[in-house]
């Protein structure tokens, strides 16, 4: 039996594929390489270059492999871009997502681990954020993911689709072979380290008057390898007949943008110059998880997600891969 991983050439997807292979699972990847890298996927893994909304292709993959379950990472995932170009997000994440889940059900696949996000909570009333917190996203990216959560829930009731929607907080860090590399990059950790490497003269800090102690937004950073492990646990949970669920993946600890930059100065030993800009539309002030349910339901506990380890792993990876991934 095979696991279909969409977005498996992307950042979190490629690390999850690496972990699945290490556990002896059979995997196939579907990715359109809009944001991913072919060389991030082991050459031994069957790779389909295409879009998740292509029902014919999804039916073909299901016919060519005995697909037992799917891990659905494929999505556009930049908050700022979703504010300036919402159509891209609703078309790619939602319209294609609807087609994709429909094609999977037609092919008889009824288990899915879905990449959701803390962006579905919007500006939380209370921190840490539990899964019961109201969901009212602050940006089209969050809405596209929340709509997919609602779709999965409805499809469970009507068609018996069993899923675990994992609401990641901020993924960061690298494994030995795989790290975060996007062009353009909008995430803080790779951008801070690019400045530390001298690739950029300074790193942008978007907004210094948020209602937080130092005025910069606070986020909960989770090591990408810990995230990958949660997907393995979620697949096992579904295999054992677990009920559909929505689970936060975070550490319960938040760091401000300035704290991340200070930690990066210590880890790299390099001065990192900042440039303060206006706040980005769609950015909440504080997103920190209450991860208790993921621990209770999946037995998941992050082990690599302290901030210095996260930064050190991505720093080491970038040194080994100064140009990121080979061009596709
Ligand atoms: N990175 C984070 O901190 C974070 C936080 C919360 C949720 N997420 C979610 O996790 C998932 C993975 O995020 P990531 O950081 O690895 O992003 P990523 O951009 O590195 O990976 C996404 C992959 O999906 C592919 N893709 C996108 N749309 C596609 C489509 N229509 N058909 C086929 N392939 C498509 C891209 O080419 C890319 O390889 C996304 O769903 C994202 O919304 C990420």
């Amino acid at each position: 039996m095979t696991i279909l991983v969409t977005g498996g050439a992307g950042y979190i997807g490629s690390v999850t594929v690496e972990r699945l292979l290490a556990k002896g699972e059979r995997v196939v990847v579907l990715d359109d390489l809009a944001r991913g890298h072919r060389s991030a996927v082991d050459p031994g893994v069957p790779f389909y270059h295409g879009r998740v909304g292509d029902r014919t292709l999804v039916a073909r993959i299901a016919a060519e492999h005995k697909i037992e379950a799917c891990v659905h990472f494929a999505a556009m995932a930049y908050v700022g871009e979703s504010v300036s170009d919402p159509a891209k997000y609703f078309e790619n994440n939602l319209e294609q997502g609807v087609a994709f889940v429909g094609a999977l059900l037609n092919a008889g696949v009824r288990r899915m681990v879905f990449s959701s996000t803390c962006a579905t909570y919007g500006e939380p009333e209370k921190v840490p954020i539990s899964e019961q917190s109201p969901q009212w996203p602050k940006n089209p990216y969050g809405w596209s993911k929340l709509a997919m959560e609602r779709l999965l829930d409805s499809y469970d009731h009507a068609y018996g689709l069993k899923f675990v929607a994992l609401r990641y907080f901020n993924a960061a860090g690298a494994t030995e072979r795989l790290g975060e590399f996007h062009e353009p990059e909008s995430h803080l950790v790779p951008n801070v380290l690019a400045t530390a490497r001298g690739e950029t003269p300074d790193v942008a800090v978007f907004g210094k008057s948020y209602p937080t102690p130092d005025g910069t937004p606070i986020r909960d950073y989770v090591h990408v390898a810990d995230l990958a492990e949660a997907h393995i646990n979620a697949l096992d949970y579904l295999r054992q007949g677990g009920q559909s669920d929505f689970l936060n993946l975070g550490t319960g600890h938040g760091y401000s943008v300035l704290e991340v930059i200070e930690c990066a100065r210590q880890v790299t030993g390099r001065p990192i110059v900042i440039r303060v800009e206006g706040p980005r539309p769609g950015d909440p002030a504080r997103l920190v998880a209450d991860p208790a349910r993921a621990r209770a339901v999946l037995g998941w506990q992050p082990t690599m997600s302290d901030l210095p380890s996260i930064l050190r792993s991505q720093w080491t990876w970038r040194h080994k891969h100064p140009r990121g991934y080979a061009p596709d």
Side-chain angles (χ1 to χ4, degrees):
M1 296 295 262
T2 302
I3 313 287
L4 169 60
V5 181
T6 73
Y11 171 44
I12 309 170
S14 62
V15 174
T16 303
V17 168
E18 185 179 60
R19 291 301 303 145
L20 283 165
L21 294 176
K23 298 256 171 190
E25 299 280 3
R26 293 162 77 100
V27 177
V28 299
V29 167
L30 169 59
D31 197 301
D32 66 0
L33 298 181
R35 297 270 152 93
H37 311 278
R38 180 66 185 87
S39 59
V41 183
D42 188 299
V45 171
F47 182 86
Y48 291 83
H49 184 191
R51 310 199 80 189
V52 295
D54 182 342
R55 287 173 185 263
T56 313
L57 176 59
V58 175
R60 179 155 76 82
I61 295 171
E64 288 175 357
H65 303 271
K66 223 169 154 43
I67 304 294
E68 169 205 358
C70 168
V71 188
H72 183 32
F73 289 103
M76 293 291 164
Y78 291 164
V79 167
E81 183 184 59
S82 81
V83 175
S84 58
D85 191 0
K88 189 178 203 168
Y89 280 71
F90 287 111
E91 284 168 15
N92 193 73
N93 298 358
L94 181 57
E95 187 180 345
Q96 289 204 39
V98 176
F100 176 64
V101 181
L104 274 190
L105 284 173
N106 278 343
V109 180
R110 284 192 159 62
R111 287 185 196 142
M112 177 180 286
V113 180
F114 175 67
S115 298
S116 190
T117 165
C118 60
T120 59
Y121 294 114
E123 195 73 67
E125 287 166 7
K126 263 201 329 204
V127 173
I129 306 170
S130 80
E131 288 83 354
Q132 278 68 49
S133 303
Q135 289 176 291
W136 193 262
K138 255 189 118 168
N139 50 64
Y141 164 61
W143 282 110
S144 72
K145 289 286 182 173
L146 182 56
M148 282 299 292
E149 282 197 0
R150 293 295 95 221
L151 173 140
L152 294 176
D153 192 50
S154 312
Y155 283 21
D156 178 7
H157 290 291
Y159 314 129
L161 171 71
K162 294 297 168 211
F163 68 89
V164 179
L166 296 172
R167 296 178 186 150
Y168 321 148
F169 282 62
N170 282 52
T175 67
E176 183 115 353
R177 206 177 70 78
L178 302 165
E180 181 161 25
F181 185 77
H182 298 111
E183 288 177 310
E185 184 60 75
S186 79
H187 290 150
L188 180 64
V189 168
N191 281 336
V192 168
L193 296 179
T195 306
R197 283 172 55 79
E199 290 167 20
T200 49
D202 47 32
V203 63
V205 170
F206 295 103
K208 269 199 83 178
S209 39
Y210 283 90
T212 59
D214 67 19
T216 63
I218 290 177
R219 296 289 181 269
D220 184 339
Y221 294 89
V222 195
H223 196 291
V224 66
D226 281 330
L227 285 182
E229 219 49 50
H231 293 74
I232 312 250
N233 293 10
L235 284 166
D236 286 345
Y237 167 83
L238 290 174
R239 276 179 179 146
Q240 286 156 23
Q243 290 305 301
S244 297
D245 216 331
F246 302 91
L247 299 171
N248 286 341
L249 294 183
T251 64
H253 302 287
Y255 295 93
S256 73
V257 170
L258 293 183
E259 284 171 333
V260 172
I261 295 170
E262 188 46 43
C263 185
R265 288 187 183 116
Q266 282 163 24
V267 164
T268 63
R270 306 274 175 93
I272 298 170
V273 178
I274 64 167
R275 180 183 81 251
V276 177
E277 297 204 352
R280 282 189 302 203
D283 262 350
R286 194 189 288 253
L287 293 170
V288 179
D290 174 350
R293 286 205 73 241
R295 193 176 317 137
V297 175
L298 300 182
W300 178 76
Q301 191 127 29
T303 58
M304 289 165 268
S305 293
D306 61 287
L307 192 56
S309 300
I310 286 176
L311 291 167
R312 204 170 297 115
S313 65
Q314 173 74 12
W315 181 241
T316 307
W317 181 80
R318 269 314 297 245
H319 273 300
K320 284 196 198 141
H321 304 86
R323 276 180 285 279
Y325 289 101
D328 295 311

